[in-house]
Structure formats: structure tokens, C-alpha cells
Amino acid sequence: MNAIEAHAQAEFRKIMGSSEKIIFALDLHDLAKMKFKPRDPLLLPWLHSQDLCMVFAGRGIGKTHFALSVAYAVATGGRFMDWEANQPRKVLYLDGELPGTVMQNRLLMHLPIQEPEPGFLRVFTPDLMGMDDLMPDLATSDGQEAINAMIEPDTELVIVDNLSAWARGSKAENDAESWLPIATWVLALRRRGIAVLMVHHAGKGGEQRGTSKREDLLDVVIKLSRPKDYEPEQGARFELVFTKARNLHGDKAEGLELTLDANLDGVASWRWQTLEGSTYKRVVDLAKDGLTQADIARELDINRSTVSRHHRKAVTSGDILAGWSK
Amino acid sequence: MMPTTCQKIRAAGAQSQTAQSNHLHANYKRFPAFGNKLMSMRREGQVPCNGVYIVFDWKLARAFLRVVIPEGIPPDRLELRFLAGLDVVLAYGNEHSAKVHDLAREVLKVNPRLLNAFAIDIPNSTILKNIAGEVMI
């Protein structure tokens, strides 16, 4: 290195603080004066900039339908159910599984009346790659670099659908270490002000597949599952429960029951109600069929005290007669 | 009465929520085009052999190592530290001449070895900082 280069590097190190990375703690009074990047609401009440979120469900429950609806709502500044985006934000949707045509159909199915402006929803599907190209692997630094290249500086939400397809790695999925490279990547995105929604499979036990260490880092974890009284002809009908939701309390954290309908043209629409309302309705229906409260509790797999509470409410409101179930 | 620490934190938070423009925080600095790559190279200890051109127009200085200043971003919101210790040429056309002064001041803050402003339409070259460290602005 010549003198000019050495001077340039010395100046660079000086202005960067040091050649080494420095971590430091601040005095409370200094911290009070710091201005951090604020958390902008992307989809209220649960999704903000820098949030790290996961939605998981078993196969065929409707994870991608759900994630696409979130993507459209954020990209258009629109709504998904009662959730609201206050302005359009740029979204990158990384699909790692579906054939291109299926993805096109699903995107068309959920396309809102107010379409996203050009550039606000960008989608990657594996069919965009050449025959000989390998899908980037999020568990490797090369894969992360390849994906980072797709993230524009003003992207505010990255949706990874799904984690198993994008982070293959060499380690077993339930090995906590397998999560480390991905955790590092999502934390780097958070520092850039980007929110991440990861779509993941549920394991055999119904919880998210693989290491539970993932949830430590996440701000929001959403579980989608079939209702107890689900019939296959009902299509995409599922319950949504926030199994973890930092900064989300009360009614906002309440579970929902969602049903996806499609009209003859294949255009999707969602119906939803709170789980509390849905359970109440089911208790009323079964009570009208003459089931006892104990039978209703067994049928719906809920506590008898819950049945009793809904039953009392239904009698008081006149939805059922007092003698219809014991 | 002096505000308590708690009040200061609340006030800073409220300011953070309101004093926003195009989603960028007051302390957040954005790289000009190609700046991120230059920063990565410098972090790895690499130093460009020749100077770095700063341009406002994508058509300019394409044959050289350059960064392109994005439209609509105030110069004090740009990350320019990768220019520290380097020879820098700020090349501009008439239409961007009004922006040169403020940008040059920001560049000087990161202490380049040399800063030269080059007006391509006149043409005229002005040394704003020489290798002796004298600043002429």
C-alpha cells in the first residue's frame, strides 16, 4: 500500500470511528436524546416497519392466500379484513415453491380493485430462474446476497414463502443452530427498517415446524389452523390465532375465523368473524339442535365453562330458549 | 423547570413519529447510487486507484468510478463517509449548479484528500480543497 492509499485508509478509519466494529452503551440521558427510526405502521394493528413476523399452518390450510392478501393490502395501502394500511408501501414477495402459472392465478385471484402501483409489489417465483440455476439458499451467505440484491432500498416488507423452501441448509430444521444464519439475515433487514413476514409449515404437533428458538426473536407469530367442525367442502376456512404478539393487546389480539370465498370468475373475497363470536354462534347452533352443554363442550373441544358462559349470554339475549340444552 | 429524562424520552419519541419525510429518519443517511458498494470495498481495506466522481446525472462519468446523487434527497441526508481520504471530483452541469455548494460542504465534512468541482458546461474547474488541506469554500 502506497502513502496515498495509507492516508485514505487512515482517514476512512478515523471517520468510521475505528477499523473494528464498535458496540457501545449509552447513558440514559444521551439515549433520551437519540432519534431512532420510528416504527411506521404497515398493516395496523399488528404489522409495523422492522417487525419480524411468522405465519405458520399445516399443508393446504391457506398460508399463501393469507400472505398474498397481506402483501396486497400493504402494497396498495388498502385493507385486509379489519386490518388497515395507511399508505402504499413497497413489498417484495419471495415465493419458493409454486409453479409460475399457479402463482399468477393466485395473484389474479386476490388482485384488489385498486391495483398496486407499478413497483409496489414485486414477486419472485422459481420459474423466473433458468433451468440450470439453483434457488438461493437463505441459510448461506451467498444465498442471502442473491436475495438482498432483489431488495430495493425503499422496500418496506419482505414476505418469504416459505421458510423450508428458502432456507434449506445442511442442518436439521429442528436444530437451533440452523436458525442462526436466517436470524442474522432478518435482523440485518430489521436494521435497514424492513419488516419480514415468514411463511412456515406447522409440524405434526400443530406448532411451527422445527426449532422453537425462532419465536424468541419474532414480534408476531400467527397460527392458522382448521376449526374443529371443519368440513373439506368448506375450502379455505381456518382459525387465526396470535400465538405471540408484542405490543398487541386486548381486542386487537383476539383470534379470528376466516373463510376464503371465490366467485365464478375466481375472484377471492374473505369473510371473517372473531373466534369468540364464531364459538358463540356454534354453541347457539348446537344448543338449538338439542345438545347438552357437556356434549357441546366435547363437540367443539372447548371448556364447559366457556359453553356455559356463551349459553347464559344466548339465553339472556333471546338467541336460544332456556330449556334447549342443559 | 427542566424536563425529566422520562419527558425527554417521550418528546424524542414524539419527534421521531412526526418529523418524518419519505420514511427516512433524521439520523438515517442514504447512500448515493454505487455508494454502498464503495463503502463495502473500503471496509475491506480497498482504496480506489484514481479519484471518485460525484455526479447528479446518470449519463456523466460513466467510464469512471462514480456515485450518482439521487434526486430530492438533501445533501445532509447522504452517507458519504466512503469518500474519506480520497480524491473527489464533483462534476455537474448548469442545471445542477445550485446544488453544488451544499453538497461540497457535506463532502468536505468526511475529509477527502482533494475536492475539485468541475462545471462541464462552462467548462471550469475549481479546487475546493487541495492536498495541503486548505479549504476554499
Side-chain angles (χ1 to χ4, degrees):
Chain A
M1 184 178 277
N2 63 33
I4 293 175
E5 288 173 356
H7 166 79
Q9 266 318 79
E11 285 297 328
F12 181 69
R13 279 199 294 271
K14 205 190 298 174
I15 201 135
M16 297 300 288
S18 159
S19 57
E20 303 297 327
K21 286 181 184 170
I22 291 177
I23 57 166
F24 56 91
L26 277 183
D27 177 76
L28 176 64
H29 299 84
D30 295 329
L31 184 67
K33 290 176 203 154
M34 288 285 291
K35 289 178 185 172
F36 295 106
K37 192 174 182 192
R39 291 169 76 233
D40 290 325
L42 302 189
L43 190 63
L44 286 173
W46 63 274
L47 181 59
H48 300 80
S49 56
Q50 298 185 293
D51 275 353
L52 305 178
C53 313
M54 175 188 282
V55 55
F56 71 92
R59 292 185 198 94
I61 290 199
K63 295 185 290 289
T64 299
H65 289 297
F66 175 84
L68 283 174
S69 298
V70 170
Y72 271 131
V74 175
T76 58
R79 293 176 74 93
F80 174 31
M81 301 189 292
D82 271 344
W83 302 335
E84 195 167 15
N86 63 353
Q87 67 177 76
R89 315 267 184 175
K90 286 197 174 178
V91 179
L92 174 64
Y93 195 102
L94 301 171
D95 176 60
E97 218 169 56
L98 294 178
T101 50
V102 176
M103 195 63 195
Q104 278 180 329
N105 287 339
R106 292 210 178 174
L107 284 163
L108 276 176
M109 182 180 176
H110 289 277
L111 187 69
I113 295 167
Q114 185 203 341
E115 295 180 14
E117 292 293 322
F120 273 75
L121 176 57
R122 293 186 306 120
V123 181
F124 172 90
T125 173
D127 281 3
L128 293 174
M129 299 177 69
M131 295 289 281
D132 300 328
D133 295 334
L134 284 176
M135 271 266 291
D137 185 352
L138 265 182
T140 66
S141 56
D142 285 351
Q144 290 174 8
E145 266 183 39
I147 292 163
N148 285 345
M150 284 194 279
I151 303 173
E152 292 177 342
D154 51 355
T155 299
E156 300 205 41
L157 173 65
V158 174
I159 299 180
V160 181
D161 184 3
N162 58 69
L163 208 48
S164 302
W166 278 103
R168 299 178 295 281
S170 56
K171 291 193 167 67
E173 201 169 32
N174 52 3
D175 181 350
E177 272 188 45
S178 68
W179 170 239
L180 282 178
I182 302 142
T184 310
W185 180 69
V186 293
L187 283 172
L189 292 185
R190 167 183 275 180
R191 282 198 295 275
R192 288 171 59 183
I194 298 170
V196 183
L197 173 63
M198 288 171 279
V199 180
H200 192 35
H201 290 290
K204 287 175 188 163
E207 294 308 306
Q208 59 109 352
R209 201 162 74 191
T211 173
S212 59
K213 197 173 179 180
R214 288 194 186 102
E215 297 199 17
D216 299 347
L217 186 70
L218 303 176
D219 300 289
V220 175
V221 180
I222 295 171
K223 177 183 180 179
L224 309 179
S225 57
R226 292 279 184 232
K228 297 288 175 198
D229 58 346
Y230 174 77
E231 302 287 345
E233 62 269 18
Q234 292 171 325
R237 174 177 163 236
F238 53 83
E239 292 178 350
L240 178 153
V241 177
F242 288 97
T243 60
K244 181 178 181 184
R246 278 184 192 146
N247 312 315
L248 198 61
H249 309 285
D251 292 349
K252 291 173 180 171
E254 204 177 353
L256 299 168
E257 184 185 297
L258 284 79
T259 308
L260 176 64
D261 298 317
N263 68 15
L264 292 175
D265 297 328
V267 177
S269 62
W270 291 95
R271 283 181 290 131
W272 72 95
Q273 57 184 328
T274 61
L275 277 185
E276 182 77 2
S278 155
T279 309
Y280 173 79
K281 189 171 173 297
R282 280 183 233 159
V283 169
V284 170
D285 287 345
L286 292 174
K288 283 181 178 173
D289 287 345
L291 269 70
T292 65
Q293 290 189 23
D295 287 340
I296 295 172
R298 264 194 297 277
E299 178 71 20
L300 298 180
D301 195 17
I302 55 178
N303 288 331
R304 189 157 173 189
S305 59
T306 308
V307 177
S308 177
R309 180 164 50 85
H310 287 309
H311 193 273
R312 270 200 308 278
K313 185 179 161 192
V315 169
T316 309
S317 62
D319 283 342
I320 56 172
L321 298 174
W324 271 3
S325 67
K326 302 288 181 192
Chain B
M1 188 190 293
M2 290 288 286
T4 63
T5 301
C6 195
Q7 285 167 334
K8 282 184 203 163
I9 292 174
R10 284 206 195 100
Q15 234 176 333
S16 292
Q17 294 293 334
T18 53
Q20 296 306 309
S21 65
N22 59 20
H23 318 309
L24 297 182
H25 184 269
N27 286 347
Y28 179 86
K29 294 208 170 192
R30 178 181 164 171
F31 281 108
F34 309 119
N36 199 350
K37 193 175 178 189
L38 252 171
M39 179 66 101
S40 304
M41 290 167 69
R42 297 225 55 192
R43 281 186 201 280
E44 288 165 11
Q46 297 182 54
V47 178
C49 315
N50 299 310
V52 177
Y53 278 76
I54 301 178
V55 293
F56 297 96
D57 187 335
W58 285 89
K59 292 175 193 156
L60 287 181
R62 290 167 74 165
F64 300 96
L65 186 62
R66 61 171 183 163
V67 293
V68 186
I69 302 298
E71 279 286 327
I73 307 286
D76 63 348
R77 306 285 289 276
L78 290 169
E79 172 62 273
L80 299 167
R81 289 181 296 173
F82 52 84
L83 297 172
L86 301 183
D87 294 352
V88 179
V89 180
L90 211 168
Y92 62 97
N94 277 343
E95 70 274 29
H96 295 114
S97 56
K99 303 175 190 171
V100 172
H101 186 268
D102 288 346
L103 181 60
R105 284 201 169 281
E106 288 305 314
V107 175
L108 287 169
K109 284 182 189 171
V110 304
N111 211 10
R113 177 172 169 268
L114 173 79
L115 176 60
N116 191 4
F118 180 58
I120 54 169
D121 293 323
I122 301 176
N124 179 40
S125 180
T126 312
I127 292 175
L128 302 179
K129 184 187 174 189
N130 64 24
I131 54 171
E134 295 166 329
V135 175
M136 277 75 81
I137 184 172

